[in-house]
Amino acid sequence: LIGFQIWRQDAAAHAAAGGSGVIEGTDVLLAARISARVLDLPVHEGQDVKAGDPLVTLDCADPQAALAEAQARFAAAEAQAQAAHAQADATSRASTANRSAATASRAQADALATQRDAARRLAARMDAQKDDVAPSNLDQVHASADTLAHQAAAASASASATSIQITVASGQAGAAHATADAADRSVEAAAASLRRAELLAAECVIRAPRDGRVESLPWELGELVPLGATLVKLVDLSNVKATFYLPNADLAAASPGQPATLVADAWPDTPFTGTVATVSSEAEFTPRNIQTRSDRDRLVYAVEVHVPNPDGKLRPGMPVQVSLPGTEK
């Protein structure tokens, strides 16, 4: 017995670095951004679920009503924006038409003024030669000159009035475009309110964000859940982790990315392969400040190992023995 004990102690002293740990899953706490009553619980504790599966249904009459109101406000804002843009386009076309009319009126006024001036020159020449010109012809020339003068004056007045209309139409077009821009901002505000209402309405059904197992359902049917309270605790067992502690003397044996082997008490003949994820930078279980060599040997550092668990054999709370291959003494 003494020899066996010595052999076992020697084997342990020369074994690979490692230690004992406990399996932990990835806990996911699911909560809602609204306060509502629990309407349905389609799953039970311990059930495996897939990503997207419904877990809890809440009574969301208020968020649904708010969503309908937001949809109506958005539709009304879009209709007002379309009407405002149509009005802006109409005023722009009217302003363009007025500018074209003003150009035509000004050209007509200039042409009539040229004809008036020519008629006046002709009348002046005939007045100078009135002894040689028949009185009827002279009267006709003066009448034509007067008519052209009146027409030129009327065309000039019309061009001036059209210029005033252009100014008014430009102001109306600017106001209409400003109204259209404001309507666009109203549409953006209504769209933002609609998105917020949709987000809150989507909280009525809590779905699994990933594959996992339902660990706990703390609320019962009919209970009023306050804002932000945990509705479901989901545990992802596809990748688990185990934390063990290395003594100070063996710290150099562990490094991130290094392979690790785990043996669970429930599966003694089935070793599991993992990878060292982190090595703590601070010691734990630190003794008093004045340390002897034996005290320093009692310093330990936490080492976290991640282990793929596709079959779900490793479960939270399961004790395991972790070793780091290749570190045998």
Side-chain angles (χ1 to χ4, degrees):
L1 290 175
I2 293 173
F4 174 74
Q5 183 67 17
I6 293 174
W7 172 82
R8 191 172 66 174
Q9 291 177 351
D10 183 71
H14 292 83
S20 60
V22 177
I23 292 297
E24 299 177 41
T26 302
D27 294 339
V28 182
L29 303 180
L30 304 179
R33 287 179 285 188
I34 59 175
S35 176
R37 295 188 183 278
V38 178
L39 190 63
D40 187 25
L41 294 171
V43 296
H44 57 80
E45 294 182 355
Q47 179 177 338
D48 292 330
V49 295
K50 297 293 184 181
D53 287 350
L55 306 178
V56 179
T57 301
L58 300 176
D59 183 6
C60 291
D62 288 344
Q64 292 292 347
L67 175 60
E69 181 181 0
Q71 290 172 339
R73 290 182 181 276
F74 178 71
E78 279 194 323
Q80 291 176 355
Q82 291 175 357
H85 279 287
Q87 181 65 25
D89 292 340
T91 53
S92 296
R93 288 192 296 270
S95 179
T96 302
N98 286 332
R99 283 194 294 269
S100 299
T103 301
S105 297
R106 180 57 58 189
Q108 184 180 10
D110 292 341
L112 290 172
T114 301
Q115 293 176 8
R116 178 202 61 197
D117 294 340
R120 285 177 176 176
R121 288 193 297 270
L122 177 60
R125 286 196 302 271
M126 293 182 70
D127 284 339
Q129 301 173 0
K130 60 182 179 180
D131 294 337
D132 299 329
V133 178
S136 59
N137 291 338
L138 184 60
D139 292 339
Q140 184 178 0
V141 169
H142 278 286
S144 177
D146 293 338
T147 300
L148 289 172
H150 289 305
Q151 291 177 349
S156 179
S158 177
S160 299
T162 305
S163 298
I164 295 174
Q165 291 177 354
I166 289 175
T167 303
V168 174
S170 297
Q172 292 176 346
H177 282 289
T179 302
D181 291 338
D184 288 339
R185 302 293 84 77
S186 297
V187 170
E188 293 176 359
S193 298
L194 177 59
R195 285 193 296 271
R196 183 175 183 275
E198 289 173 343
L199 289 175
L200 294 179
E203 295 292 308
C204 298
V205 179
I206 304 301
R207 299 182 180 275
R210 60 202 295 179
D211 296 350
R213 180 170 298 165
V214 178
E215 183 73 10
S216 65
L217 296 167
W219 299 92
E220 298 294 337
L221 290 176
E223 289 187 310
L224 179 62
V225 181
L227 177 68
T230 299
L231 289 167
V232 184
K233 180 181 180 182
L234 194 67
V235 180
D236 185 359
L237 299 178
S238 60
N239 284 280
V240 298
K241 62 182 179 180
T243 301
F244 70 98
Y245 296 89
L246 275 180
N248 183 53
D250 295 340
L251 182 61
S255 60
Q258 181 179 355
T261 300
L262 293 81
V263 177
D265 295 345
W267 312 94
D269 298 327
T270 307
F272 298 88
T273 301
T275 305
V276 174
T278 60
V279 179
S280 175
S281 58
E282 295 184 2
E284 301 185 30
F285 309 132
T286 306
R288 60 187 182 275
N289 292 333
I290 301 175
Q291 303 168 5
T292 64
R293 177 56 186 267
S294 60
D295 289 334
R296 292 197 299 272
D297 288 341
R298 288 202 298 271
L299 292 175
V300 293
Y301 293 82
V303 180
E304 184 176 296
V305 177
H306 290 184
V307 188
N309 188 34
D311 299 331
K313 291 183 177 180
L314 298 176
R315 302 185 178 185
M318 183 179 290
V320 292
Q321 184 67 30
V322 185
S323 59
L324 304 177
T327 61
E328 295 82 358
K329 302 178 184 61

PDB file of all heavy atoms in Angstrom, residues 244-263:
ATOM      1  N   PHE A 244     -11.090  25.695 -14.854  1.00  0.00           N
ATOM      2  CA  PHE A 244     -10.292  25.024 -13.830  1.00  0.00           C
ATOM      3  C   PHE A 244      -9.161  25.954 -13.416  1.00  0.00           C
ATOM      4  O   PHE A 244      -8.971  27.024 -14.003  1.00  0.00           O
ATOM      5  CB  PHE A 244      -9.751  23.678 -14.336  1.00  0.00           C
ATOM      6  CG  PHE A 244      -8.695  23.787 -15.388  1.00  0.00           C
ATOM      7  CD1 PHE A 244      -7.340  23.685 -15.070  1.00  0.00           C
ATOM      8  CD2 PHE A 244      -9.026  23.989 -16.726  1.00  0.00           C
ATOM      9  CE1 PHE A 244      -6.370  23.786 -16.041  1.00  0.00           C
ATOM     10  CE2 PHE A 244      -8.057  24.090 -17.697  1.00  0.00           C
ATOM     11  CZ  PHE A 244      -6.727  23.991 -17.361  1.00  0.00           C
ATOM     12  N   TYR A 245      -8.431  25.560 -12.403  1.00  0.00           N
ATOM     13  CA  TYR A 245      -7.407  26.438 -11.823  1.00  0.00           C
ATOM     14  C   TYR A 245      -6.052  25.756 -11.856  1.00  0.00           C
ATOM     15  O   TYR A 245      -5.906  24.610 -11.437  1.00  0.00           O
ATOM     16  CB  TYR A 245      -7.776  26.817 -10.389  1.00  0.00           C
ATOM     17  CG  TYR A 245      -9.044  27.640 -10.311  1.00  0.00           C
ATOM     18  CD1 TYR A 245     -10.284  27.007 -10.193  1.00  0.00           C
ATOM     19  CD2 TYR A 245      -8.995  29.017 -10.396  1.00  0.00           C
ATOM     20  CE1 TYR A 245     -11.456  27.753 -10.149  1.00  0.00           C
ATOM     21  CE2 TYR A 245     -10.163  29.773 -10.350  1.00  0.00           C
ATOM     22  CZ  TYR A 245     -11.394  29.128 -10.231  1.00  0.00           C
ATOM     23  OH  TYR A 245     -12.535  29.868 -10.187  1.00  0.00           O
ATOM     24  N   LEU A 246      -5.078  26.497 -12.392  1.00  0.00           N
ATOM     25  CA  LEU A 246      -3.707  26.009 -12.449  1.00  0.00           C
ATOM     26  C   LEU A 246      -2.890  26.637 -11.329  1.00  0.00           C
ATOM     27  O   LEU A 246      -2.984  27.849 -11.105  1.00  0.00           O
ATOM     28  CB  LEU A 246      -3.068  26.365 -13.795  1.00  0.00           C
ATOM     29  CG  LEU A 246      -3.289  25.432 -14.977  1.00  0.00           C
ATOM     30  CD1 LEU A 246      -2.568  25.969 -16.202  1.00  0.00           C
ATOM     31  CD2 LEU A 246      -2.809  24.022 -14.671  1.00  0.00           C
ATOM     32  N   PRO A 247      -2.074  25.844 -10.641  1.00  0.00           N
ATOM     33  CA  PRO A 247      -1.201  26.452  -9.630  1.00  0.00           C
ATOM     34  C   PRO A 247      -0.130  27.318 -10.284  1.00  0.00           C
ATOM     35  O   PRO A 247       0.145  27.217 -11.483  1.00  0.00           O
ATOM     36  CB  PRO A 247      -0.603  25.242  -8.922  1.00  0.00           C
ATOM     37  CG  PRO A 247      -0.719  24.119  -9.893  1.00  0.00           C
ATOM     38  CD  PRO A 247      -1.963  24.389 -10.694  1.00  0.00           C
ATOM     39  N   ASN A 248       0.454  28.162  -9.481  1.00  0.00           N
ATOM     40  CA  ASN A 248       1.446  29.106  -9.971  1.00  0.00           C
ATOM     41  C   ASN A 248       2.587  28.404 -10.691  1.00  0.00           C
ATOM     42  O   ASN A 248       3.089  28.882 -11.716  1.00  0.00           O
ATOM     43  CB  ASN A 248       1.966  29.926  -8.795  1.00  0.00           C
ATOM     44  CG  ASN A 248       2.952  31.001  -9.237  1.00  0.00           C
ATOM     45  OD1 ASN A 248       2.650  31.784 -10.120  1.00  0.00           O
ATOM     46  ND2 ASN A 248       4.125  31.015  -8.626  1.00  0.00           N
ATOM     47  N   ALA A 249       3.007  27.240 -10.201  1.00  0.00           N
ATOM     48  CA  ALA A 249       4.145  26.538 -10.792  1.00  0.00           C
ATOM     49  C   ALA A 249       3.834  26.003 -12.185  1.00  0.00           C
ATOM     50  O   ALA A 249       4.752  25.794 -12.993  1.00  0.00           O
ATOM     51  CB  ALA A 249       4.582  25.398  -9.876  1.00  0.00           C
ATOM     52  N   ASP A 250       2.549  25.743 -12.485  1.00  0.00           N
ATOM     53  CA  ASP A 250       2.170  25.180 -13.785  1.00  0.00           C
ATOM     54  C   ASP A 250       1.600  26.213 -14.745  1.00  0.00           C
ATOM     55  O   ASP A 250       1.082  25.849 -15.805  1.00  0.00           O
ATOM     56  CB  ASP A 250       1.121  24.072 -13.587  1.00  0.00           C
ATOM     57  CG  ASP A 250       1.677  22.890 -12.819  1.00  0.00           C
ATOM     58  OD1 ASP A 250       2.912  22.745 -12.780  1.00  0.00           O
ATOM     59  OD2 ASP A 250       0.871  22.117 -12.254  1.00  0.00           O
ATOM     60  N   LEU A 251       1.669  27.496 -14.386  1.00  0.00           N
ATOM     61  CA  LEU A 251       1.028  28.518 -15.204  1.00  0.00           C
ATOM     62  C   LEU A 251       1.583  28.558 -16.623  1.00  0.00           C
ATOM     63  O   LEU A 251       0.846  28.800 -17.583  1.00  0.00           O
ATOM     64  CB  LEU A 251       1.180  29.896 -14.549  1.00  0.00           C
ATOM     65  CG  LEU A 251       0.508  31.061 -15.274  1.00  0.00           C
ATOM     66  CD1 LEU A 251      -0.992  30.834 -15.367  1.00  0.00           C
ATOM     67  CD2 LEU A 251       0.803  32.371 -14.564  1.00  0.00           C
ATOM     68  N   ALA A 252       2.874  28.317 -16.795  1.00  0.00           N
ATOM     69  CA  ALA A 252       3.476  28.380 -18.129  1.00  0.00           C
ATOM     70  C   ALA A 252       2.950  27.299 -19.062  1.00  0.00           C
ATOM     71  O   ALA A 252       3.144  27.371 -20.279  1.00  0.00           O
ATOM     72  CB  ALA A 252       4.994  28.276 -18.022  1.00  0.00           C
ATOM     73  N   ALA A 253       2.268  26.287 -18.513  1.00  0.00           N
ATOM     74  CA  ALA A 253       1.779  25.185 -19.345  1.00  0.00           C
ATOM     75  C   ALA A 253       0.528  25.558 -20.134  1.00  0.00           C
ATOM     76  O   ALA A 253       0.164  24.849 -21.078  1.00  0.00           O
ATOM     77  CB  ALA A 253       1.487  23.965 -18.470  1.00  0.00           C
ATOM     78  N   ALA A 254      -0.143  26.646 -19.771  1.00  0.00           N
ATOM     79  CA  ALA A 254      -1.408  26.999 -20.421  1.00  0.00           C
ATOM     80  C   ALA A 254      -1.246  28.261 -21.249  1.00  0.00           C
ATOM     81  O   ALA A 254      -0.605  29.228 -20.819  1.00  0.00           O
ATOM     82  CB  ALA A 254      -2.505  27.208 -19.378  1.00  0.00           C
ATOM     83  N   SER A 255      -1.848  28.260 -22.435  1.00  0.00           N
ATOM     84  CA  SER A 255      -1.849  29.438 -23.305  1.00  0.00           C
ATOM     85  C   SER A 255      -3.096  29.377 -24.184  1.00  0.00           C
ATOM     86  O   SER A 255      -3.565  28.287 -24.533  1.00  0.00           O
ATOM     87  CB  SER A 255      -0.586  29.489 -24.172  1.00  0.00           C
ATOM     88  OG  SER A 255      -0.507  28.332 -24.993  1.00  0.00           O
ATOM     89  N   PRO A 256      -3.685  30.523 -24.548  1.00  0.00           N
ATOM     90  CA  PRO A 256      -4.877  30.520 -25.392  1.00  0.00           C
ATOM     91  C   PRO A 256      -4.636  29.803 -26.718  1.00  0.00           C
ATOM     92  O   PRO A 256      -3.579  29.947 -27.339  1.00  0.00           O
ATOM     93  CB  PRO A 256      -5.152  32.016 -25.605  1.00  0.00           C
ATOM     94  CG  PRO A 256      -4.547  32.688 -24.416  1.00  0.00           C
ATOM     95  CD  PRO A 256      -3.320  31.879 -24.094  1.00  0.00           C
ATOM     96  N   GLY A 257      -5.626  29.006 -27.123  1.00  0.00           N
ATOM     97  CA  GLY A 257      -5.523  28.238 -28.358  1.00  0.00           C
ATOM     98  C   GLY A 257      -4.962  26.847 -28.170  1.00  0.00           C
ATOM     99  O   GLY A 257      -4.969  26.039 -29.115  1.00  0.00           O
ATOM    100  N   GLN A 258      -4.517  26.547 -26.986  1.00  0.00           N
ATOM    101  CA  GLN A 258      -3.927  25.241 -26.717  1.00  0.00           C
ATOM    102  C   GLN A 258      -5.028  24.185 -26.563  1.00  0.00           C
ATOM    103  O   GLN A 258      -6.071  24.442 -25.971  1.00  0.00           O
ATOM    104  CB  GLN A 258      -3.101  25.328 -25.425  1.00  0.00           C
ATOM    105  CG  GLN A 258      -2.408  24.037 -25.027  1.00  0.00           C
ATOM    106  CD  GLN A 258      -1.587  24.237 -23.756  1.00  0.00           C
ATOM    107  OE1 GLN A 258      -1.489  25.348 -23.258  1.00  0.00           O
ATOM    108  NE2 GLN A 258      -1.000  23.169 -23.255  1.00  0.00           N
ATOM    109  N   PRO A 259      -4.837  22.964 -27.083  1.00  0.00           N
ATOM    110  CA  PRO A 259      -5.849  21.921 -26.920  1.00  0.00           C
ATOM    111  C   PRO A 259      -5.932  21.446 -25.476  1.00  0.00           C
ATOM    112  O   PRO A 259      -4.951  21.493 -24.723  1.00  0.00           O
ATOM    113  CB  PRO A 259      -5.389  20.811 -27.860  1.00  0.00           C
ATOM    114  CG  PRO A 259      -3.917  21.039 -28.016  1.00  0.00           C
ATOM    115  CD  PRO A 259      -3.705  22.516 -27.922  1.00  0.00           C
ATOM    116  N   ALA A 260      -7.110  20.986 -25.099  1.00  0.00           N
ATOM    117  CA  ALA A 260      -7.338  20.462 -23.757  1.00  0.00           C
ATOM    118  C   ALA A 260      -8.232  19.236 -23.862  1.00  0.00           C
ATOM    119  O   ALA A 260      -9.022  19.097 -24.802  1.00  0.00           O
ATOM    120  CB  ALA A 260      -7.984  21.522 -22.869  1.00  0.00           C
ATOM    121  N   THR A 261      -8.093  18.333 -22.913  1.00  0.00           N
ATOM    122  CA  THR A 261      -8.889  17.110 -22.865  1.00  0.00           C
ATOM    123  C   THR A 261      -9.718  17.110 -21.595  1.00  0.00           C
ATOM    124  O   THR A 261      -9.207  17.400 -20.511  1.00  0.00           O
ATOM    125  CB  THR A 261      -7.985  15.863 -22.906  1.00  0.00           C
ATOM    126  OG1 THR A 261      -7.213  15.878 -24.117  1.00  0.00           O
ATOM    127  CG2 THR A 261      -8.823  14.593 -22.870  1.00  0.00           C
ATOM    128  N   LEU A 262     -11.000  16.782 -21.729  1.00  0.00           N
ATOM    129  CA  LEU A 262     -11.906  16.744 -20.593  1.00  0.00           C
ATOM    130  C   LEU A 262     -12.476  15.340 -20.439  1.00  0.00           C
ATOM    131  O   LEU A 262     -12.836  14.691 -21.435  1.00  0.00           O
ATOM    132  CB  LEU A 262     -13.058  17.730 -20.761  1.00  0.00           C
ATOM    133  CG  LEU A 262     -12.752  19.223 -20.736  1.00  0.00           C
ATOM    134  CD1 LEU A 262     -12.233  19.698 -22.093  1.00  0.00           C
ATOM    135  CD2 LEU A 262     -13.993  20.027 -20.352  1.00  0.00           C
ATOM    136  N   VAL A 263     -12.567  14.885 -19.213  1.00  0.00           N
ATOM    137  CA  VAL A 263     -13.178  13.609 -18.896  1.00  0.00           C
ATOM    138  C   VAL A 263     -14.245  13.866 -17.841  1.00  0.00           C
ATOM    139  O   VAL A 263     -13.953  14.408 -16.776  1.00  0.00           O
ATOM    140  CB  VAL A 263     -12.148  12.586 -18.384  1.00  0.00           C
ATOM    141  CG1 VAL A 263     -12.839  11.279 -17.997  1.00  0.00           C
ATOM    142  CG2 VAL A 263     -11.087  12.323 -19.453  1.00  0.00           C
TER     143      VAL A 263
END
